Amino acid sequence: MAASSFSIFQPYSLSVKPKTPTPPNPPPKCHSFPIKASTHSTPSPTPPKHTVSKPRRPADENIRDEARRNNHIHSHRFSAKYVPFNADASASTESYSLDDIVYRSQSGGLLDVQHDMAALKNYDGKYWRDLFDSRVGKTTWPYGSGVWSKKEWVLPEIDSDDIVSAFEGNSNLFWAERYGKQFLGMNDLWVKHCGISHTGSFKDLGMTVLVSQVNRLRKMNRPVVGVGCASTGDTSAALSAYCAAAGIPSIVFLPANRISIAQLVQPIANGAFVLSLDTDFDGCMRLIREVTSELPIYLANSLNSLRLEGQKTAAIEILQQFDWQVPDWVIVPGGNLGNIYAFYKGFHMCKELGLVDRIPRLVCAQAANANPLYLHFKSGWKDFKPVKANTTFASAIQIGDPVSIDRAVYAIKKSNGIVEEATEEELMDAMAQADSTGMFICPHTGVALTALIKLRNSGVIGPTDRTVVVSTAHGLKFTQSKTDYHSKNIKDMASRFANPPVHVEADFGSVMDVLKKYLLSKAPKH
């Protein structure tokens, strides 16, 4: 049936007339962000100070009510807009409000969220560092979120009452002490566990921003009936959870039989309308783009640059956790390739606004079975060619025609970065080794660790280089692949670090024999 036969599904145009945002307004009088207008060229107000004498909110008031009462003025001087990605600012006048429903520029290229940097630069790096640090660990709405604690750099114009948040972010930066020393001879290796989040992946960081903006648009009576995405698992989990929290319908396109049960059950449990399609992720992506151009369904894939505004906060968070000292290397698994650009953008904003004096070198790690960026890098950045992605245990990055290829190339070039790849055996071995030292990581983190191993063995990464590996999802989403590895049930894979259970007769003598043999093998060798 044609879409036009549905009265509520009248096609809406994505060709939005460019417009220039209105000048930013004066800042609000707000206890959590007390910026006042100043006649000085570089004002540096004192960040908020939390004291033990602050009265508790009334018993019949929740944290959103409290924020609403204390933030009664919602206008401020900070703003952001969509502009064509990497366009010449002197030549291009094309821009759009973030309230416009638009995903591509007039030329068909990617869009980027551009902040009013001049307004942000009215406050120095120390101010921003102190402000962001003052919000960590609080329950003040919405600043208890690792994303919304950087609200002025994310969606500065959204009313806090429209924000949909699970207090995501603030994820653990794990010192991989034993893994670094035993396998790599490194003493400053860290793993950023972005998978320790509400739905178990870094996708929550971007989805809170996107769904919050959709919530705002629906309150403005814009033509948005629901939110849709193509997914290999994690995006659909995040989308469905945040939409469920806001009471917004979510629609998910999944490639049939290509994601784990743990990933499939999340959107189903959260009430999403799930379509299982007989195609791969790239096929799902093509279909969702066609559908969202005809129906009032807001596109939630990383083609939508709002997602990257949330994901970039993980980079800022890493700097915070190092007390604003910059690591030497950050290694990120790459599939659709929005995340590597998001990390670059977060680091670069911190440098441009004076919070740090440099940015780390970035490494994008791809599975060899889905490695278009790696091949592009190895060719010396000659003409990019999509690939047919083959099956990989790192299923979330099984993408052969990434939407954000231009963003990723930009990030790698600007950070003097590198692209590496990992075979299936390499990534599974790396995952097993990491797990044996106390981690419990996803296969995508195994891809990133493989890149680290290769760069460490070649001497590119030194033994004392402070290195952060980004773990994108929780290992519990991939228990089947771990079970198959340790059971040695993976065809053509040696599973060198498998640790299967030992079957023993249920009598004292048999158990003692097995334990003695095991303990002897573990005894220190002098």
Side-chain angles (χ1 to χ4, degrees):
M1 186 177 292
S4 58
S5 64
F6 292 93
S7 60
I8 65 168
F9 286 157
Q10 293 302 318
Y12 64 101
S13 174
L14 298 183
S15 178
V16 182
K17 185 177 180 180
K19 63 183 182 182
T20 304
T22 56
N25 298 315
K29 296 177 181 178
C30 168
H31 78 288
S32 58
F33 190 52
I35 298 177
K36 297 180 181 179
S38 172
T39 57
H40 298 290
S41 58
T42 309
S44 181
T46 304
K49 293 183 179 179
H50 299 273
T51 65
V52 294
S53 62
K54 180 181 176 182
R56 182 173 176 176
R57 67 176 181 274
D60 61 348
E61 183 179 72
N62 62 41
I63 59 173
R64 196 186 286 271
D65 295 329
E66 181 183 41
R68 190 183 299 121
R69 172 167 55 83
N70 289 319
N71 296 284
H72 53 89
I73 300 174
H74 300 295
S75 60
H76 51 63
R77 66 178 62 185
F78 304 117
S79 63
K81 60 186 177 181
Y82 293 123
V83 298
F85 171 72
N86 200 24
D88 183 351
S90 63
S92 175
T93 58
E94 183 182 358
S95 67
Y96 308 89
S97 165
L98 297 188
D99 294 332
D100 288 332
I101 301 172
V102 55
Y103 312 116
R104 291 279 195 181
S105 68
Q106 291 176 337
S107 66
L110 297 168
L111 293 172
D112 197 20
V113 175
Q114 182 184 84
H115 290 263
D116 183 350
M117 298 302 287
L120 294 173
K121 286 178 180 178
N122 281 328
Y123 305 95
D124 63 15
K126 182 181 185 305
Y127 174 78
W128 291 116
R129 289 194 302 266
D130 291 346
L131 178 68
F132 294 161
D133 287 346
S134 74
R135 293 169 171 172
V136 174
K138 304 297 189 295
T139 57
T140 306
W141 183 264
Y143 304 120
S145 159
V147 173
W148 296 108
S149 64
K150 288 86 176 170
K151 179 177 182 286
E152 296 78 16
W153 292 20
V154 176
L155 277 188
E157 295 172 280
I158 194 169
D159 191 310
S160 292
D161 201 40
D162 294 338
I163 289 173
V164 183
S165 173
F167 278 14
E168 51 289 306
N170 295 320
S171 58
N172 181 32
L173 188 60
F174 175 87
W175 181 31
E177 180 182 15
R178 185 180 160 210
Y179 183 85
K181 289 179 179 178
Q182 182 172 334
F183 297 113
L184 296 165
M186 300 179 72
N187 63 2
D188 211 357
L189 174 63
W190 301 78
V191 177
K192 178 64 171 168
H193 277 301
C194 292
I196 302 177
S197 190
H198 180 55
T199 71
S201 87
F202 78 95
K203 300 295 179 70
D204 293 346
L205 303 179
M207 207 57 73
T208 180
V209 177
L210 185 139
V211 174
S212 295
Q213 178 65 8
V214 170
N215 195 37
R216 168 183 164 91
L217 293 175
R218 284 164 63 89
K219 289 183 179 181
M220 295 169 64
N221 295 317
R222 300 301 299 275
V224 180
V225 174
V227 189
C229 75
S231 178
T232 49
D234 291 333
T235 301
S236 65
L239 173 66
S240 60
Y242 283 87
C243 281
I248 299 172
S250 59
I251 300 98
V252 173
F253 287 17
L254 294 175
N257 303 316
R258 301 194 188 200
I259 69 169
S260 72
I261 295 298
Q263 291 172 301
L264 175 62
V265 75
Q266 288 183 283
I268 290 174
N270 285 136
F273 186 67
V274 179
L275 293 95
S276 180
L277 303 173
D278 188 21
T279 183
D280 58 9
F281 171 81
D282 295 317
C284 289
M285 189 67 220
R286 284 191 293 270
L287 283 168
I288 194 71
R289 287 173 61 181
E290 291 174 7
V291 166
T292 53
S293 69
E294 294 294 327
L295 302 179
I297 299 171
Y298 196 82
L299 180 64
N301 284 97
S302 57
L303 174 64
N304 189 320
S305 51
L306 282 178
R307 286 258 309 276
L308 307 186
E309 292 306 291
Q311 290 165 209
K312 79 184 181 190
T313 62
I316 306 169
E317 213 169 88
I318 288 171
L319 296 176
Q320 276 185 287
Q321 290 168 311
F322 284 131
D323 198 21
W324 302 102
Q325 296 175 357
V326 183
D328 299 299
W329 297 88
V330 174
I331 305 175
V332 185
N336 220 13
L337 300 180
N339 210 25
I340 188 72
Y341 175 68
F343 271 83
Y344 169 78
K345 189 172 186 181
F347 288 128
H348 183 260
M349 276 191 81
C350 286
K351 180 177 182 292
E352 189 173 359
L353 290 169
L355 285 74
V356 296
D357 60 0
R358 64 184 181 89
I359 68 171
R361 293 185 69 181
L362 297 179
V363 177
C364 188
Q366 292 207 292
N369 282 359
N371 62 350
L373 180 65
Y374 174 77
L375 296 176
H376 192 31
F377 173 76
K378 295 298 285 186
S379 73
W381 304 121
K382 294 178 182 176
D383 291 342
F384 172 75
K385 294 180 181 178
V387 301
K388 176 67 175 176
N390 295 314
T391 302
T392 172
F393 285 103
S395 57
I397 57 175
Q398 186 179 318
I399 299 168
D401 190 9
V403 166
S404 293
I405 179 64
D406 293 339
R407 292 171 175 148
V409 171
Y410 181 89
I412 294 296
K413 288 182 176 180
K414 289 291 185 178
S415 66
N416 189 25
I418 296 171
V419 186
E420 258 297 350
E421 67 171 356
T423 66
E424 294 303 289
E425 187 151 11
E426 287 172 337
L427 72 90
M428 292 298 284
D429 281 348
M431 181 175 70
Q433 282 185 310
D435 288 352
S436 74
T437 65
M439 289 186 265
F440 193 73
I441 61 170
C442 64
H444 316 85
T445 313
V447 174
L449 287 173
T450 299
L452 170 60
I453 292 166
K454 291 181 176 180
L455 293 172
R456 179 72 192 92
N457 289 342
S458 65
V460 174
I461 294 180
T464 60
D465 288 357
R466 175 171 287 178
T467 304
V468 178
V469 170
V470 176
S471 181
T472 54
H474 202 292
L476 285 172
K477 289 191 173 190
F478 302 92
T479 52
Q480 188 59 56
S481 64
K482 291 176 182 286
T483 300
D484 291 342
Y485 180 92
H486 289 288
S487 302
K488 296 198 170 186
N489 286 336
I490 302 175
K491 185 180 179 182
D492 299 326
M493 188 175 291
S495 299
R496 291 185 297 144
F497 306 105
N499 183 32
V502 178
H503 180 74
V504 187
E505 293 295 327
D507 65 79
F508 179 77
S510 298
V511 171
M512 286 296 289
D513 288 343
V514 169
L515 285 177
K516 287 178 180 178
K517 183 178 180 181
Y518 170 75
L519 293 174
L520 185 62
S521 71
K522 296 297 181 181
K525 297 176 175 62
H526 299 291

